[in-house]
Each structure stands twice: as structure tokens, then as C-alpha cells.
Amino acid sequence: MSQTTNGLAFTSAVVYISADGSSWTEVSGHGASIAVEGGERAVGKQNTFDGDVPIIKAGDRDSVRVTCRYVYTEETDDPFDVVRTQHETVGGALHVQWAPAGTSGWWYKTGAGILKKPGYPGGEAGSGELIMSEFVVECAELT
């Protein structure tokens, strides 16, 4: 197979968040990174007295954690505005969807995930660096 020449850069990505899964807030202008962890399938295995290899069976998949890192601004469309409100609501549901190649590319979406980390801002006075924050959503799966 020949090497592809169609690699993508994440610089055109679009990211949206929603409290209800129908009314979306675009946070692409603040977004700096999306990280996805989890989703591994459990594998059960057991060796027996009669056999040299284990019996293996597929188990369920683990939940998926989506971390969105962004520039904190205190503007009305800052991701923290939406995220903080959901964090202070019992259950803290948050939906996230993004397209790595922009709106014409493939979309990745969570269902109603649980907001695990609201990402309160922090920083250092002397560095001059932008204030960064992040939120973490745990969901059953990505679609």
C-alpha cells in the first residue's frame, strides 16, 4: 500500500457544546485541543488445566472521557459559561461534538455525558501566558 498524502491538521476543527443536545454553542474560537481516552473493550480470560492457551471472551466497552482544553476569556460565549452552569446542576449533563477537519468532515458526538471537571481557571502571575482551562465529560460512547 502506498503512503497517503491526505493527512489532516487539527487546525480546522470545529467544536460545539450543549446542555440539552439540541441547542449548541460553538466554542471553536476558544478551543485549543480535544483529547479522547477510554472506550477499551474488556476481555475476560481463563486458563484451564487442560490446555496451553486461555479461553478468551469479549466483554463490554468502557466509558469514554473527552477533555476539551480552551482559552479562558470571561466573554459571554466562553465555554466556561456553559460548563459552569451545567456543573452546578445535579447530574451535570453536557454534550460535546466536534469535526477534526471542519464542518465538511466527519463528526464525533457524545450523548448526554456527565461533566466530571468544570475547569475553574488558574494560572501564574509572572508568566504572561494566556489563562487556559479545560473541562472533562465522561460518556457511554462516541457516535
Side-chain angles (χ1 to χ4, degrees), residues 41-45 55-61:
R41 183 170 300 282
V43 176
K45 62 181 182 175
I55 299 166
I56 62 168
K57 294 293 178 182
D60 292 340
R61 290 183 289 164

Side-chain angles (χ1 to χ4, degrees), residues 117-130:
K117 177 182 177 184
Y120 290 103
E124 183 181 324
S127 72
E129 296 293 323
L130 291 175

Side-chain angles (χ1 to χ4, degrees), residues 29-30 32 69-73 121-124 127-133:
H30 291 86
R69 188 162 165 76
Y70 63 92
V71 177
Y72 177 84
T73 63
E124 183 181 324
S127 72
E129 296 293 323
L130 291 175
I131 298 172
M132 299 297 292
S133 191

Side-chain angles (χ1 to χ4, degrees), residues 2 7 16 22 43 46-47 54 62 75 90 122 143:
S2 27
Y16 291 84
S22 60
V43 176
Q46 181 61 55
N47 287 82
D62 193 8
E75 296 172 340
V90 175
T143 59

Side-chain angles (χ1 to χ4, degrees), residues 37-125:
E37 299 176 84
E40 295 89 356
R41 183 170 300 282
V43 176
K45 62 181 182 175
Q46 181 61 55
N47 287 82
T48 64
F49 296 124
D50 186 22
D52 190 36
V53 295
I55 299 166
I56 62 168
K57 294 293 178 182
D60 292 340
R61 290 183 289 164
D62 193 8
S63 59
V64 175
R65 288 159 305 288
V66 177
T67 301
C68 180
R69 188 162 165 76
Y70 63 92
V71 177
Y72 177 84
T73 63
E74 294 188 354
E75 296 172 340
T76 55
D77 61 347
D78 192 301
F80 184 72
D81 220 20
V82 174
V83 171
R84 180 192 52 79
T85 301
Q86 286 309 102
H87 177 64
E88 293 172 358
T89 302
V90 175
L94 190 70
H95 301 250
V96 182
Q97 64 178 352
W98 69 96
T103 56
S104 61
W106 292 0
W107 285 88
Y108 296 87
K109 300 178 183 182
T110 71
I114 303 298
L115 181 62
K116 289 183 66 165
K117 177 182 177 184
Y120 290 103
E124 183 181 324

